[in-house]
């Protein structure tokens, strides 16, 4: 078994559509962590709460000044950040997870593949070109946004990439979400860091429920309810090695002679110009 490799991961629970300065105010809390996950739509806001023109104006370009501010936070604290933002690209919005490296800044992004329910009225669909597995000081990180975590083939693809830190920005504050996070950790034999929105205002509040889970489904921190804040856990990647001795769904527990999955990671632009 690999020797101990202790790192600290965290989930920062905040409201939806907060100004970037609200995130920056947690700088002292974040310092000392190796990786911190922020909720879905923490920048830009959750849809259906304001007229679309106002909502569109609150979205952020990627890259852009707000993302640069988060990159600065990563640089000052030494923590990789995975944050859910509402990305504006032309006239289309996406629910996107951005990956910020302390030394390199914005290194990757993942666009949500399937918006859920009312989200479909506001957000476009990502394609297979943004399914990154990103090296961080805490381990190899990937992101599944909210109900993407319920897509079995999405999970299979990310497990095959060898993800060690499963980042789950979400707006799902239901109790059953906790069961989903524990299942993914146990199924993928990875650490799961889920950051949920928390907000009490309006007719559609979010209760929170940010949680950190170990590779056998054991809860290491949280769930944090009814408050803003940062939860953290010290983890050892050697626990993944030990856990995968009995279950490696992309390795010795796979049956490629029976089941196969093809993942198309080509960008799918609406228009292609041939010259």
């Amino acid at each position: 078994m690999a020797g101990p490799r202790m790192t600290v991961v965290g989930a920062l629970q905040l409201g939806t559509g907060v100004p970037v300065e609200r995130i920056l105010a947690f700088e002292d809390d974040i310092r000392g962590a190796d990786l911190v996950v922020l909720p879905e739509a923490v920048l830009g806001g959750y849809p259906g709460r304001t007229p679309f023109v106002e909502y569109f104006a609150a979205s952020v370009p990627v890259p852009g000044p707000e993302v640069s501010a988060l990159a600065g936070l990563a640089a000052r604290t030494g923590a990789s950040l995975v944050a859910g933002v509402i990305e504006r690209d032309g006239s289309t919005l996406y629910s996107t997870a951005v990956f910020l490296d302390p030394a390199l800044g914005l290194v990757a992004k993942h666009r949500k593949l399937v918006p859920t329910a009312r989200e479909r009225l506001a957000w476009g669909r990502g394609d297979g070109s943004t399914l990154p597995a990103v090296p961080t000081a805490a381990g190899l990180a990937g992101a599944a946004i909210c109900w993407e975590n319920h897509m079995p083939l999405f999970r299979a693809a990310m497990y095959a990439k060898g993800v060690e830190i499963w980042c789950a920005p979400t707006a799902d504050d239901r109790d059953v979400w906790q069961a989903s996070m524990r299942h993914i950790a146990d199924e993928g034999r990875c650490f799961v860091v889920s950051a949920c929105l928390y907000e009490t205002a309006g007719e559609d509040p979010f209760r929170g429920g940010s949680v950190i889970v170990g590779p056998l489904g054991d809860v290491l921190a949280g769930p944090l309810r009814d408050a803003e804040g940062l939860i953290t856990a010290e983890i050892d990647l050697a626990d993944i090695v030990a856990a995968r001795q009995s279950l490696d769904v992309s390795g010795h527990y796979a049956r490629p002679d029976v089941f196969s999955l093809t993942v198309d990671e080509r960008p799918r632009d609406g228009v292609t110009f041939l010259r």
Side-chain angles (χ1 to χ4, degrees), residues 26-51:
F26 283 86
E27 180 170 331
D28 289 341
D29 301 85
I30 292 172
R31 187 174 288 108
D34 295 286
L35 180 145
V36 174
V37 181
L38 285 77
E40 181 180 27
V42 69
L43 291 181
Y46 199 71
R49 297 177 163 210
T50 60

Side-chain angles (χ1 to χ4, degrees), residues 206-222:
F206 298 102
R207 298 174 52 225
S210 298
V211 67
I212 301 172
V213 187
L216 292 177
D218 47 322
V219 175
L220 305 180

